[in-house]
Amino acid sequence: RIKFELPNGIWIDWLLFPEFDEKGKVKYVITSARDITEIIAYEKNIKELNRTLERKVKAQTKELKKQNQKLLREIEERKKAEKKLRESESLYKSFLNGTSDGVLISDIEGYITYYNESALKLLRYKEGELLGKHVFHLVAKDEIPHVRDIYFQSK
């Protein structure tokens, strides 16, 4: 079997079946040929597509590696920042719990998000009872307008 291109651009797949005589010499050859021009063109197209895809995959892989490295650096930076934040928060809470003054921290709406141990003793609450309560709950009714002005003066 041989494949070759004719001068006119047609590709041929040529099968050759030699028949031998009793002395081992070729007596005759049976041949079969078929036009494989479209198959060759298809194979060339596939090869070119594969090369194009390989180039694109390499480029994308390179870009993904670059982005991955960037993300890994960002993750590392965030981990360091989180560690510093936890350390700072721990120091802050340690300071707040070390004072004899009752300390409450609330969000902008006035809901308590943190309290120290002295605040619990001063207000006679148990652990967990203050979280989420509105500061108005702790203020005398006639003082609510004044406290409201403090909380909402910027709105």
Side-chain angles (χ1 to χ4, degrees):
R1 172 174 248 163
I2 57 173
K3 294 178 186 179
F4 58 93
E5 184 178 13
L6 296 173
N8 62 2
I10 294 175
W11 279 86
I12 299 294
D13 179 13
W14 195 15
L15 292 171
L16 302 143
F17 299 100
E19 289 291 323
F20 302 96
D21 63 17
E22 57 280 345
K23 293 181 183 176
K25 291 195 172 200
V26 175
K27 198 163 59 170
Y28 53 89
V29 177
I30 300 172
T31 65
S32 172
R34 65 184 176 127
D35 181 348
I36 58 167
T37 306
E38 288 182 14
I39 293 170
I40 296 295
Y42 177 79
E43 288 173 351
K44 285 181 182 178
N45 285 338
I46 292 295
K47 285 179 184 176
E48 183 56 35
L49 285 172
N50 282 339
R51 283 192 293 271
T52 300
L53 286 173
E54 285 174 8
R55 284 192 300 271
K56 287 182 179 181
V57 166
K58 279 184 182 180
Q60 288 291 330
T61 300
K62 184 178 179 181
E63 181 60 28
L64 287 172
K65 283 181 181 178
K66 182 179 169 184
Q67 292 298 322
N68 193 34
Q69 289 301 317
K70 183 179 175 184
L71 287 172
L72 288 173
R73 283 191 300 274
E74 285 181 23
I75 289 168
E76 196 57 38
E77 288 172 14
R78 286 180 185 216
K79 284 181 180 178
K80 288 177 185 176
E82 285 176 20
K83 182 180 177 190
K84 286 182 181 180
L85 183 61
R86 280 192 302 277
E87 290 169 355
S88 175
E89 183 179 359
S90 176
L91 181 63
Y92 179 68
K93 284 183 178 180
S94 181
F95 171 75
L96 291 178
N97 282 327
T99 183
S100 59
D101 292 341
V103 177
L104 296 174
I105 298 175
S106 65
D107 62 17
I108 192 73
E109 300 296 324
Y111 292 96
I112 298 169
T113 59
Y114 176 82
Y115 54 85
N116 69 355
E117 293 169 16
S118 296
L120 288 178
K121 290 176 187 172
L122 176 71
L123 299 169
R124 292 174 177 75
Y125 276 86
K126 294 178 184 169
E127 185 69 37
E129 290 180 334
L130 284 174
L131 281 182
K133 285 200 182 301
H134 200 280
V135 291
F136 292 169
H137 181 77
L138 306 173
V139 177
K141 289 186 183 189
D142 56 333
E143 292 296 323
I144 289 177
H146 179 67
V147 174
R148 183 181 291 123
D149 289 344
I150 292 170
Y151 266 89
F152 302 108
Q153 66 183 342
S154 63
K155 288 188 175 189

